[in-house]
Amino acid sequence: MIADSSHIDGSDPWTGASSPVSRLLEKPVCTLQEYEELRDGGSCVFIALDCEFVSDVHWDAEPDPARVFASQAPTEVGLAFAHSPLKPTATAAGTRQEPSLKDFCRDFRVEALSLKVQEPYLEKLEQIAQKPPVGNKGRGKLREDFRFGEPEFVPNKQVEARVCRAVEQYRDSKPNTQVVLVGYALDADFNAMRQAFPALADMCDRFLDLSTLIHSSVFTAAAVIEPPGLRSLLKLFGYPQDDYGLSESTYHNAGNDAVKTLALLNDLSLPCHIETLRLRQQIPREILLIEDVKPEDVRNVAFVRPADGLLMPTALDNVLKLAIIALPYRPQAVGMHKQLKKLPNSADQVQVLRGWVRFSSLQDLEVFVKEKDHMMCEEREMRIAPRGAAAGHTRKAFAGLKAGQSHKSNESGNALEDEDNADDGLALDGLFQ
């Protein structure tokens, strides 16, 4: 999101003169509808840009982040562009197959570059070497490898020529088209461009900041969080862990992030993703949303499942939807557990979703269960019970939990029944101990 309004008045905030970057900043793509019209009109191509920097800057520590970045040289410049027109794909049922960045690059013939600027990049490596190891990763694995080609090392004085040559070759392969520059939270990237490769701005006709697009088109004034970052968006849109990574503390590769930006732009207009983002803005960041975690840690956890034992109704079939109903009861974490179940009198198996909600206190758990057990969802009864309780014996289970007793039930009759209540555990590797 472009935070400093002085950037868009047509003059350079440091020199007072008009600059290529300042002129480009006067031509934003501000809404999802505007982006879709450009994309579907066939007269635009989209080039993703991402830069990495020498210093780690905390945005909330400075009143004017742009001035902080202005004096910094980029250590890496990442570019990504698709040789096939962007267009989100969906199945006949309206849901997209499980996405991956590898498939996106193959399907849209994506070309990506990771340009490491020699002098500042070596300085960054020295910074990393001085940092203590993170867990069992060690220092050497903190830097993310480029996944979509071979990185190039470019002397500082040649960065502009190399960036412009790559964009010019791509633009020439798409005659009679406008170039739209795409990024996520572009303040820093524009300052890098201003300093290291300003000629790129004159090669672009418009720019699109993905975070601004989400904020203006999806988020509302009632949102309790800011638009999620690249990693969170990939996770929310169903990408595997290999694509969104294990930790936000890992030093990113600019080429990888450019590919992620382009893929997320392509995904953004799918209705299911718009719904996901609209739900996510209602949930405070401190509530953990965990997909497909096998249960083990059982303290203060309520399980949610349909009384008929079948699949979760569509109104509750992901962590965001479940978190919305639990939000008034102060949950700490919300998750889904996928499990294969054998159909009665058949060798066939189906994948069953079970929801769970974790609370900080037994009192919050009790209120949630008492008020939401037997709730109707899409004309189906939902059963909500604490760990170790069969769906039909929710009230008795509280007495057993408070007394430290185990509660067992002989109740049967669900279409898909557990052989053992131990299957309803919650594995979070001691996260809540």
Side-chain angles (χ1 to χ4, degrees):
M1 193 187 309
I2 303 302
D4 188 354
S5 60
S6 65
H7 288 186
I8 58 176
D9 63 1
S11 63
D12 188 301
W14 295 278
T15 67
S18 178
S19 71
V21 175
S22 297
R23 291 193 294 271
L24 179 59
L25 283 166
E26 295 175 342
K27 306 169 186 176
V29 177
C30 297
T31 67
L32 187 60
Q33 180 180 356
E34 190 176 359
Y35 156 65
E36 291 174 341
E37 289 173 353
L38 290 172
R39 180 198 65 194
D40 298 340
S43 61
C44 289
V45 293
F46 301 89
I47 296 178
L49 169 71
D50 184 78
C51 298
E52 299 296 322
F53 299 89
V54 172
S55 300
D56 298 319
V57 176
H58 298 287
W59 282 65
D60 57 358
E62 297 288 341
D64 187 355
R67 293 184 183 277
V68 176
F69 280 110
S71 62
Q72 293 187 325
T75 60
E76 296 177 76
V77 179
L79 295 170
F81 25 82
H83 289 281
S84 296
L86 295 183
K87 188 72 174 178
T89 56
T91 66
T95 57
R96 187 179 159 178
Q97 295 178 349
E98 184 177 47
S100 76
L101 294 177
K102 181 179 178 181
D103 289 345
F104 170 73
C105 289
R106 181 199 64 215
D107 295 343
F108 293 91
R109 299 189 296 133
V110 172
E111 182 181 353
L113 295 176
S114 175
L115 307 177
K116 300 182 184 298
V117 188
Q118 286 180 354
E119 297 89 340
Y121 183 75
L122 293 176
E123 181 182 344
K124 184 69 172 181
L125 290 182
E126 290 179 2
Q127 286 185 2
I128 295 174
Q130 295 171 5
K131 290 181 178 291
V134 177
N136 59 1
K137 290 182 179 181
R139 296 183 185 88
K141 295 184 179 179
L142 284 175
R143 170 60 65 185
E144 183 183 26
D145 294 329
F146 183 41
R147 298 177 54 196
F148 307 102
E150 292 296 325
E152 299 180 33
F153 284 83
V154 182
N156 200 22
K157 294 181 179 180
Q158 298 179 20
V159 172
E160 184 171 52
R162 181 66 185 97
V163 167
C164 291
R165 185 169 77 251
V167 173
E168 185 176 14
Q169 290 173 344
Y170 177 62
R171 187 182 61 182
D172 290 347
S173 71
K174 307 287 182 181
N176 303 317
T177 57
Q178 296 186 31
V179 173
V180 180
L181 188 70
V182 180
Y184 190 93
L186 276 167
D187 285 290
D189 305 290
F190 273 125
N191 284 300
M193 188 192 309
R194 191 188 303 273
Q195 178 172 287
F197 45 96
L200 173 61
D202 274 337
M203 304 179 70
C204 301
D205 300 284
R206 306 284 300 274
F207 82 92
L208 185 159
D209 190 320
L210 197 57
S211 66
T212 299
L213 205 67
I214 293 172
H215 197 282
S216 64
S217 301
V218 181
F219 272 41
T220 68
V224 296
I225 61 169
E226 288 297 309
L230 289 180
R231 180 178 182 270
S232 295
L233 282 171
L234 289 167
K235 191 173 181 180
L236 287 171
F237 289 179
Y239 282 80
Q241 190 176 76
D242 287 346
D243 285 344
Y244 62 75
L246 291 172
S247 172
E248 292 180 333
S249 65
T250 300
Y251 289 97
H252 297 180
N253 177 279
N256 292 346
D257 281 358
V259 171
K260 294 172 186 177
T261 301
L262 201 62
L264 289 167
L265 177 65
N266 188 58
D267 288 346
L268 184 60
S269 56
L270 282 173
C272 59
H273 292 157
I274 296 296
E275 180 189 20
T276 294
L277 289 172
R278 284 177 175 156
L279 289 174
R280 183 64 186 91
Q281 69 177 308
Q282 302 176 51
I283 303 169
R285 193 178 300 277
E286 57 266 22
I287 298 177
L288 295 177
L289 303 175
I290 304 173
E291 295 280 2
D292 196 20
V293 174
K294 185 176 180 181
E296 256 175 30
D297 182 354
V298 298
R299 191 177 56 176
N300 297 347
V301 173
F303 284 87
V304 181
R305 56 183 171 184
D308 57 19
L310 300 174
L311 295 177
M312 294 281 278
T314 56
L316 291 175
D317 62 1
N318 65 43
V319 290
L320 290 168
K321 296 173 183 178
L322 184 56
I324 292 298
I325 72 160
L327 198 56
Y329 304 92
R330 297 180 294 184
Q332 283 192 332
V334 180
M336 286 283 174
H337 174 45
K338 298 176 184 177
Q339 192 172 26
L340 285 175
K341 288 292 183 179
K342 186 178 178 181
L343 288 169
N345 305 317
S346 172
D348 294 334
Q349 290 183 318
V350 295
Q351 183 171 268
V352 176
L353 281 177
R354 294 249 177 107
W356 55 263
V357 184
R358 202 273 182 184
F359 297 91
S360 60
S361 70
L362 186 60
Q363 289 72 29
D364 289 337
L365 169 66
E366 182 173 2
V367 173
F368 175 67
V369 173
K370 284 183 176 179
E371 293 189 4
K372 291 299 182 180
D373 190 24
H374 303 288
M375 67 178 283
M376 300 301 295
C377 182
E378 297 177 359
E379 300 183 351
R380 294 169 60 195
E381 183 183 4
M382 301 301 299
R383 306 311 306 267
I384 300 175
R387 169 68 174 95
H393 291 177
T394 301
R395 305 294 184 264
K396 292 181 181 178
F398 277 118
L401 282 176
K402 291 179 178 178
Q405 302 170 358
S406 62
H407 179 79
K408 296 182 180 180
S409 171
N410 294 323
E411 181 181 351
S412 61
N414 284 350
L416 295 172
E417 188 63 59
D418 281 336
E419 290 82 4
D420 186 348
N421 273 336
D423 288 345
D424 278 347
L426 179 64
L428 296 174
D429 298 326
L431 184 62
F432 299 118
Q433 294 296 333

